[in-house]
Amino acid sequence: MAKAPKRAYVCNDCGAEHARWQGQCSACKAWNTITEVRLAPSTASKGDRFSGYAGETQGKVQTLAEISLQETPRFTSHFKELDRVLGGGIVPGSAILIGGHPGAGKSTLLLQVMCQLAQTMPTLYVTGEESLQQVAMRAHRLNLPTDKLNLLSETSVERICHTADQLKPKILVVDSIQVMHLADIQSSPGSVAQVRECASFLTRYAKTHQVAIFMVGHVTKDGTLAGPKVLEHCIDCSILLEGEADSRYRTLRSHKNRFGAVNELGVFGMTEQGLREVKNPSAIFLSRSEEQTAGSSVMVIWEGTRPLLVEIQVLVDQSMLANPRRVTVGLDHNRLALLLAVLHRHGGLMMADQDVFVNVVGGVKVTETSADLALLLALISSFRDRPLPRDLVVFGEVGLGGEIRPVPSGQERISEAAKHGFKRAIVPHANRPKNPPADMKIYPVKKLSDALDILENL
């Protein structure tokens, strides 16, 4: 007698599996998200899906000394900003997940990359959401070379890999992973089981056939990649394309990268000809007005492997509410509350009755603590209505005891500021450069009180 298919109960939000159906997921506490999934019985032939495993090397044990240390070969995507985010280029056999909000430019960027790479190597672009005519119309609108790029409209992962076996492409794009499906999984496309198994199937195919695969993924309301967390674990690189719908610029940030630095940032500009690289991102984020305004300071943050100059704006105003407002855009809200307490305790300035609004210009999201000192000086500037000098740059971490702590890559941050014409810098004492720029004056500080004294004399 044929065995009945096995069943599993999977949460659509977090991917947790349960022995039976229940109203609430015990892992993420979400209600009515558990669905029944029928699992096809495993057969011996399923192990033969991939022919890329070599019998001599499969399961071979090696010592660390026997492993080759030769650098992994890469090929360029013809976009230096994308190569930077990927760690120096595209690695053959890697699985890359690119996510972003609808309209951010994911398909546009990948189409531009594929059309350029198709001139020198075999490629395959698989679209599951758009028709072939829609992709062709976008390519013609962007004036891209269209004579050598192979297109396929398909949602079956088995048929996609079968077509790839015939064309033998060096790079494969799957747009998007949420619409793909496997015949063995008895659930609808986009479900947790389908997304997980399709991504695992494509990742194994990439490894065994040395094909670089780009998978496009959707994001949820809070900006995270949709699907189970195991989707991000099985891939090699996860990058996110961010940008507001009314903004001209898009930022590409890596959240996981097995072949390069994490949190690397690439900046693109959205034009009529598609996405264009921004050669000097600091110049965009420093587009300041000619008039000096209080509450504005320039900081140097470190994104991946390069420094980036960003302007931070603060508005402090008398509050008419019992609980003053604290609004931050691009910064951690809890970090602002912490710094306000430090400023009161060690700087003697109380803003408990003031509304505080903080904005990082250009839509950049600052996650490191090197922006602490610049934020405090901008708060003081707005509170006292005294503009900071336009040629002043500030960075440094502020501790709870009012001490100014050092930050990584201090010399590189100062050099980047000097390239953009800044003449003065307030930096942590431990980050004072041994060879400062000739036309730049450095003010090393150890405590918050030292920075306030320097600010009085500027």
Side-chain angles (χ1 to χ4, degrees):
M1 295 178 59
K3 293 183 179 180
K6 295 182 179 180
R7 299 181 180 183
Y9 298 90
V10 182
C11 175
N12 289 327
D13 284 357
C14 66
E17 295 186 3
H18 303 271
R20 60 182 181 276
W21 188 90
Q22 56 194 43
Q24 185 185 29
C25 175
S26 56
C28 65
K29 307 302 180 183
W31 288 92
N32 299 323
T33 58
I34 298 177
T35 56
E36 178 184 348
V37 177
R38 294 184 180 181
L39 303 178
S42 59
T43 59
S45 62
K46 289 182 180 179
D48 301 330
R49 281 176 175 172
F50 303 104
S51 59
Y53 289 106
E56 296 83 1
T57 60
Q58 184 176 2
K60 182 181 179 181
V61 178
Q62 292 179 310
T63 65
L64 286 175
E66 296 174 344
I67 299 174
S68 175
L69 299 181
Q70 185 177 2
E71 186 176 356
T72 305
R74 303 172 185 262
F75 57 89
T76 179
S77 64
H78 298 282
F79 282 89
K80 292 183 179 179
E81 291 295 307
L82 178 58
D83 290 343
R84 174 190 292 273
V85 174
L86 295 177
I90 303 173
V91 179
S94 60
I96 304 167
L97 178 65
I98 176 171
H101 291 281
K106 306 181 297 296
S107 301
T108 300
L109 176 61
L110 290 178
L111 183 60
Q112 291 179 260
V113 171
M114 294 292 284
C115 287
Q116 295 294 333
L117 291 176
Q119 305 302 311
T120 57
M121 63 180 65
T123 57
L124 178 60
Y125 189 103
V126 180
T127 172
E129 296 182 346
E130 298 178 301
S131 65
L132 298 180
Q133 289 78 10
Q134 289 174 316
V135 177
M137 288 173 60
R138 180 187 294 119
H140 285 286
R141 187 176 69 252
L142 301 178
N143 294 324
L144 298 175
T146 59
D147 54 336
K148 295 184 179 180
L149 177 62
N150 297 312
L151 286 179
L152 174 65
S153 178
E154 186 57 71
T155 57
S156 172
V157 175
E158 292 96 341
R159 287 196 288 266
I160 291 173
C161 293
H162 178 71
T163 304
D165 284 337
Q166 298 175 349
L167 296 178
K168 300 187 183 304
K170 295 293 183 181
I171 181 169
L172 170 66
V173 169
V174 177
D175 187 6
S176 67
I177 190 64
Q178 270 79 16
V179 299
M180 298 297 152
H181 67 89
L182 283 168
D184 294 343
I185 308 300
Q186 304 298 321
S187 59
S188 61
S191 63
V192 172
Q194 283 286 7
V195 171
R196 178 179 56 191
E197 294 301 324
C198 289
S200 178
F201 195 107
L202 291 172
T203 301
R204 292 197 303 271
Y205 184 86
K207 302 298 182 186
T208 56
H209 291 73
Q210 290 298 298
V211 180
I213 296 182
F214 278 90
M215 290 178 277
V216 178
H218 298 305
V219 296
T220 58
K221 294 180 180 179
D222 58 354
T224 58
L225 284 166
K229 268 297 179 183
V230 71
L231 175 62
E232 298 184 36
H233 290 303
C234 70
I235 60 174
D236 298 313
C237 184
S238 174
I239 57 180
L240 197 63
L241 188 63
E242 303 171 333
E244 301 296 333
D246 57 348
S247 175
R248 289 184 52 227
Y249 300 105
R250 303 288 189 269
T251 57
L252 188 67
R253 187 186 298 272
S254 62
H255 294 269
K256 172 190 176 180
N257 193 354
R258 290 174 178 166
F259 307 107
V262 182
N263 283 332
E264 189 68 73
L265 184 71
V267 183
F268 295 87
M270 179 63 77
T271 66
E272 295 181 355
Q273 301 299 321
L275 291 173
R276 292 290 181 265
E277 298 176 279
V278 176
K279 305 290 184 182
N280 189 5
S282 295
I284 296 174
F285 304 131
L286 290 180
S287 55
R288 310 171 74 185
S289 61
E290 296 297 332
E291 299 181 0
Q292 286 186 332
T293 57
S296 174
S297 65
V298 176
M299 55 187 174
V300 189
I301 60 177
W302 194 261
E303 292 289 349
T305 58
R306 68 178 175 187
L308 191 66
L309 274 75
V310 177
E311 179 186 0
I312 184 171
Q313 293 180 331
V314 175
L315 176 62
V316 179
D317 193 19
Q318 185 70 31
S319 178
M320 300 299 176
L321 304 174
N323 294 321
R325 301 184 65 189
R326 302 286 188 262
V327 180
T328 60
V329 178
L331 280 169
D332 184 15
H333 184 272
N334 295 326
R335 194 73 185 175
L336 174 62
L338 183 148
L339 292 176
L340 287 174
V342 173
L343 183 60
H344 179 214
R345 181 67 179 270
H346 301 283
L349 292 178
M350 184 180 68
M351 299 185 184
D353 58 345
Q354 304 287 320
D355 288 332
V356 179
F357 304 91
V358 181
N359 177 47
V360 181
V361 177
V364 180
K365 295 181 180 179
V366 180
T367 57
E368 64 171 357
T369 57
S370 65
D372 291 351
L373 187 56
L375 176 57
L376 284 180
L377 296 188
L379 284 167
I380 297 171
S381 172
S382 178
F383 183 70
R384 295 178 175 174
D385 198 18
R386 290 180 53 187
L388 296 175
R390 292 182 60 85
D391 60 351
L392 175 67
V393 66
V394 185
F395 64 87
E397 180 183 351
V398 179
L400 291 179
E403 73 277 10
I404 308 300
R405 297 179 176 272
V407 297
S409 307
Q411 179 68 54
E412 289 80 0
R413 297 174 195 249
I414 295 174
S415 301
E416 180 71 13
K419 291 179 183 178
H420 288 81
F422 288 87
K423 304 298 183 183
R424 289 175 279 188
I426 300 178
V427 302
H429 190 270
N431 285 128
R432 65 188 188 281
K434 296 181 180 179
N435 299 314
D439 56 347
M440 193 174 192
K441 185 172 180 56
I442 307 297
Y443 299 95
V445 293
K446 292 183 178 180
K447 296 183 178 180
L448 179 59
S449 56
D450 298 338
L452 298 183
D453 292 340
I454 294 173
L455 195 62
E456 292 291 337
N457 299 323
L458 289 179

